[in-house]
Amino acid sequence: MFDLKEYPLDYNKDVLEPYISSNTMNFHYDKHLGTYISNLNKLIKGTVFENYNLEKIIIQSSHSKDTLRIFNNSAQIYNHNFFFKCLKKDSNAEFPKKLLYTFKSKEKFLEEFKVVANSVFGSGWVWLVKEAGEYKIVKTSNADNPIAHNQTAILTLDLWEHAYYLDYQNRRADYIDNFVNNLINWEFVEGNL
Ligand code: MN
């Protein structure tokens, strides 16, 4: 059985304001993440998945359409827990030196991240990942995530409407701008490299 308490927020829900409101955090953390957890518990009850940890559930359920609902809910638990750790208001940590070889500068990295984020159509995620020793920016649709593709997640932004609609309505590009300029937890990114 999974429990929301296993995925605590490292900060109070109002600390990301004005970029992300406590109202959004209340819905996003308690309701959305909470629902993925209760759904997954119902779906795996009495199945072999009950004995696996979250990452193994994601990988094993990604192989078949018959387990799509298990994949969607388990991946969304991973994605949200990871996303919430990526958020820190006005982090003054340095841009990680390890990323300079691939992206040349912080500005160029953020520009590419924004371009890929703005190209996501519908619900999805944009990620910085490590794959076979190389850093790259990728997007995924719906609940899909790097774990299902042999990649390591380093940074992500949630582009589902529920992540920004209460604060930004249709202005998704403003949400993306505020994320890259004011909300990236660079210490967390550095630790994932
Ligand atoms: Mn979300």
Side-chain angles (χ1 to χ4, degrees), residues 28 32 36 76 80 83-84 125 158 160 162-163:
H28 208 176
H32 289 278
Y36 294 126
Q76 285 292 75
H80 282 86
F83 170 59
F84 292 140
W125 301 79
D158 188 343
W160 286 53
H162 70 226

Side-chain angles (χ1 to χ4, degrees), residues 148-164:
H149 302 280
N150 274 317
Q151 299 165 334
T152 303
I154 294 166
L155 172 69
T156 195
L157 174 60
D158 188 343
L159 291 168
W160 286 53
E161 280 192 346
H162 70 226
Y164 63 87

Side-chain angles (χ1 to χ4, degrees), residues 38-158:
S38 62
N39 283 346
L40 183 66
N41 284 334
K42 285 179 210 152
L43 288 164
I44 64 175
K45 196 162 191 255
T47 74
V48 66
F49 291 98
E50 224 174 8
N51 309 307
Y52 300 164
N53 67 23
L54 188 66
E55 296 205 7
K56 190 167 179 188
I57 293 175
I58 293 167
I59 292 164
Q60 294 293 322
S61 65
S62 71
H63 301 317
S64 165
K65 280 190 177 136
D66 295 340
T67 50
L68 181 62
R69 290 181 69 207
I70 291 176
F71 175 77
N72 283 340
N73 285 281
S74 58
Q76 285 292 75
I77 295 170
Y78 177 90
N79 296 350
H80 282 86
N81 181 54
F82 193 86
F83 170 59
F84 292 140
K85 290 182 189 305
C86 288
L87 300 173
K88 182 176 182 181
K89 188 165 99 172
D90 299 329
S91 163
N92 48 23
E94 243 183 273
F95 182 71
K97 288 196 171 59
K98 281 184 182 173
L99 295 176
L100 288 174
Y101 180 77
T102 306
F103 298 102
K104 311 305 177 200
S105 70
K106 179 180 183 179
E107 290 67 33
K108 284 184 176 154
F109 168 78
L110 295 181
E111 193 51 43
E112 185 179 337
F113 195 90
K114 271 167 48 171
V115 167
V116 178
N118 280 298
S119 76
V120 171
F121 183 77
S123 296
W125 301 79
V126 56
W127 305 83
L128 170 64
V129 300
K130 191 175 186 179
E131 181 175 29
E134 290 192 7
Y135 299 117
K136 56 179 86 168
I137 297 168
V138 300
K139 56 185 171 181
T140 60
S141 292
N142 300 313
D144 197 14
N145 74 18
I147 291 184
H149 302 280
N150 274 317
Q151 299 165 334
T152 303
I154 294 166
L155 172 69
T156 195
L157 174 60
D158 188 343

